[in-house]
Amino acid sequence: MDESTSLFRPSPENPPVKPPQTKPAPKHIDRHAPLWMIASNILNRAGGFIILVVLGHGFSPDLLARYFAALVSISVAVSLTQAGCGPLLVRLAQYRQWRSISFIVAIRMTVALIAIAWIAPQLPPIAWPVLIMPFAAAISPDWLVSARLQFNKILFVGAFGQLAGLGVAFYATQLASAPSWLYATAPAISAASCVASFWFAFTKSSAAAPAPTTVPHPKPAGSLPVKIWPQLIAFTLLAGLLPNIDMALLPATLPQAQQDALLLVHRLLLLAAAMISAISGVLFAQNRHVGRWDFWLILPAISMALVLLAAPHIALELLFGHSHNNEVGLVRIASFWPLLLALVTRQILLLQERSGYLGTMCIAGIIIVAGAALIAMCDSAIGIMVAMNVKLAVLASILYLAARFGPSRGKSSCRT
């Protein structure tokens, strides 16, 4: 071999040149996680849809409206019980701050007991099974499964809960001799989901939660900066109150027929709200950059809005077995609500881990609570639904302006 050829042979003087390699993505990042969560939501929404169909065809509209009213009240209690700490618990688990986690879970359990004691006297005894729901929400470790990015297991948690609820719904409509089992349907879902969450969170095969791939703030001693805790909790709490607070403050002077129609339509809207909430949870846990992942939030909301706008009769007939003209009109007006909620949720994701937005959070809280109080003064169901849309539009605009011109215009922490 001649001298020129030997130049290409590896030697101490001529070390082999390795081709450039792209850095692989971290193993714990599941790029299909939003798909897992959408599949989980489709399963949960399908289960919830079937349960509503079973109950809607098995009980009278007035009895269903009273059941939904009890669920609205207890949903506000569940939001207070969770204290907006779900995303914070996810981050703390990823930072391995177990002492702080124990303290927060203890607070949630205390708030749950207070909420149960506060709401129980306001409910008829037949509705007391729903009081299980705040305590189940307080102790459920579903946040630990999300922190580990094990979104495929959330699919099984949801399936277990929906199967339990469906079994109770069939028993309530086909075998039970009294309507009391109707009020056990939603608690069965909560309790079963809680048990399944414990199973997946604490089995020996469960992996440790991966540390966040990006750190939006200086990380003192490997811990989550305390200065963003209040803001993170507050934004999450406000987002949890949004879907239910308007219905919880419905005026007593509203005619019963209009009130019942509002509660039935609101149950449709909660299907969209639950999907938006779960998808936003995936984006938060994975530190996704929201601006690049808007379609995960916006497209499902647009799809739901188009269905409600174009086929309100079909949605009502499938769920409740009837579609009165007043309900159809309300559904068409309410069709804008899912998209507006998705826009508000997007802005909350952008702001909740940026420092310097406590003032914005306070303004948002005033709009949510004061808006619900003003909505309670409306004297018609159509006026209430229009006001609910306007409130979300105002809230989305203010949060957008805060992100655009606020103190920290850098990228959000929700990025890859």
Side-chain angles (χ1 to χ4, degrees), residues 21-153:
Q21 296 180 353
T22 57
K23 185 179 180 180
K27 292 183 179 180
H28 64 265
I29 293 294
D30 182 2
R31 299 189 182 278
H32 301 292
L35 291 176
W36 275 114
M37 187 52 69
I38 286 181
S40 174
N41 271 275
I42 291 174
L43 176 65
N44 289 341
R45 301 292 73 79
F49 178 83
I50 296 172
I51 290 172
L52 278 178
V53 170
V54 172
L55 297 179
H57 290 266
F59 294 97
S60 61
D62 58 333
L63 185 57
L64 280 177
R66 289 195 291 273
Y67 167 60
F68 293 151
L71 289 186
V72 167
S73 298
I74 208 65
S75 295
V76 173
V78 168
S79 296
L80 293 173
T81 295
Q82 292 173 330
C85 293
L88 177 59
L89 288 171
V90 169
R91 282 287 184 265
L92 291 175
Q94 291 175 339
Y95 279 93
R96 319 291 199 271
Q97 295 178 246
W98 305 114
R99 183 175 299 178
S100 299
I101 287 173
S102 301
F103 178 71
I104 291 173
V105 171
I107 291 178
R108 282 160 57 117
M109 293 173 63
T110 302
V111 174
L113 295 175
I114 294 173
I116 291 171
W118 173 51
I119 290 203
Q122 305 176 34
L123 294 176
I126 194 176
W128 282 356
V130 301
L131 297 174
I132 297 172
M133 297 170 67
F135 193 74
I139 65 175
S140 176
D142 53 343
W143 48 267
L144 186 54
V145 182
S146 295
R148 293 168 178 159
L149 308 183
Q150 296 172 330
F151 301 111
N152 56 330
K153 293 185 178 180

Side-chain angles (χ1 to χ4, degrees), residues 98-385:
W98 305 114
R99 183 175 299 178
S100 299
I101 287 173
S102 301
F103 178 71
I104 291 173
V105 171
I107 291 178
R108 282 160 57 117
M109 293 173 63
T110 302
V111 174
L113 295 175
I114 294 173
I116 291 171
W118 173 51
I119 290 203
Q122 305 176 34
L123 294 176
I126 194 176
W128 282 356
V130 301
L131 297 174
I132 297 172
M133 297 170 67
F135 193 74
I139 65 175
S140 176
D142 53 343
W143 48 267
L144 186 54
V145 182
S146 295
R148 293 168 178 159
L149 308 183
Q150 296 172 330
F151 301 111
N152 56 330
K153 293 185 178 180
I154 293 180
L155 180 70
F156 296 104
V157 171
F160 191 66
Q162 294 300 323
L163 284 174
L166 187 59
V168 174
F170 271 114
Y171 183 82
T173 56
Q174 304 297 325
L175 300 175
S177 57
S180 57
W181 277 92
L182 168 64
Y183 291 89
T185 307
I189 298 174
S190 295
S193 299
C194 180
V195 171
S197 296
F198 268 100
W199 171 261
F200 286 115
F202 297 109
T203 53
K204 292 183 180 180
S205 60
S206 296
T213 55
T214 59
V215 181
H217 308 279
K219 189 173 71 168
S223 62
L224 184 68
V226 178
K227 65 180 180 180
I228 69 168
W229 289 24
Q231 186 176 287
L232 184 58
I233 290 173
F235 270 120
T236 307
L237 183 59
L238 294 179
L241 288 175
L242 261 178
N244 289 295
I245 189 170
D246 295 329
M247 293 294 104
L249 299 179
L250 281 181
T253 56
L254 192 68
Q256 189 63 44
Q258 294 190 39
Q259 190 171 112
D260 292 350
L262 266 176
L263 289 168
L264 295 180
V265 173
H266 180 250
R267 188 53 42 178
L268 275 174
L269 298 181
L270 289 182
L271 296 176
M275 176 172 286
I276 292 169
S277 175
I279 294 173
S280 67
V282 171
L283 299 181
F284 177 86
Q286 283 206 301
N287 267 2
R288 294 294 192 185
H289 189 292
V290 177
R292 298 176 185 173
W293 292 82
D294 282 348
F295 60 92
W296 290 117
L297 280 172
I298 305 302
L299 283 185
I302 290 176
S303 301
M304 185 73 172
L306 290 176
V307 169
L308 296 180
L309 184 63
H313 297 84
I314 296 176
L316 290 169
E317 286 286 349
L318 284 176
L319 286 178
F320 308 117
H322 58 82
S323 57
H324 302 309
N325 289 333
N326 56 340
E327 295 170 356
V328 169
L330 279 178
V331 171
R332 285 205 168 101
I333 296 172
S335 62
F336 299 96
W337 191 90
L339 180 57
L340 292 170
L341 181 65
L343 293 175
V344 171
T345 302
R346 177 192 184 275
Q347 295 308 123
I348 288 177
L349 277 174
L350 285 171
L351 296 179
Q352 62 186 356
E353 286 192 283
R354 294 183 184 179
S355 59
Y357 284 94
L358 279 174
T360 302
M361 179 273 300
C362 293
I363 294 174
I366 292 172
I367 292 173
I368 291 173
V369 177
L374 291 175
I375 288 172
M377 299 179 183
C378 296
D379 56 359
S380 70
I382 291 178
I384 288 174
M385 192 58 67

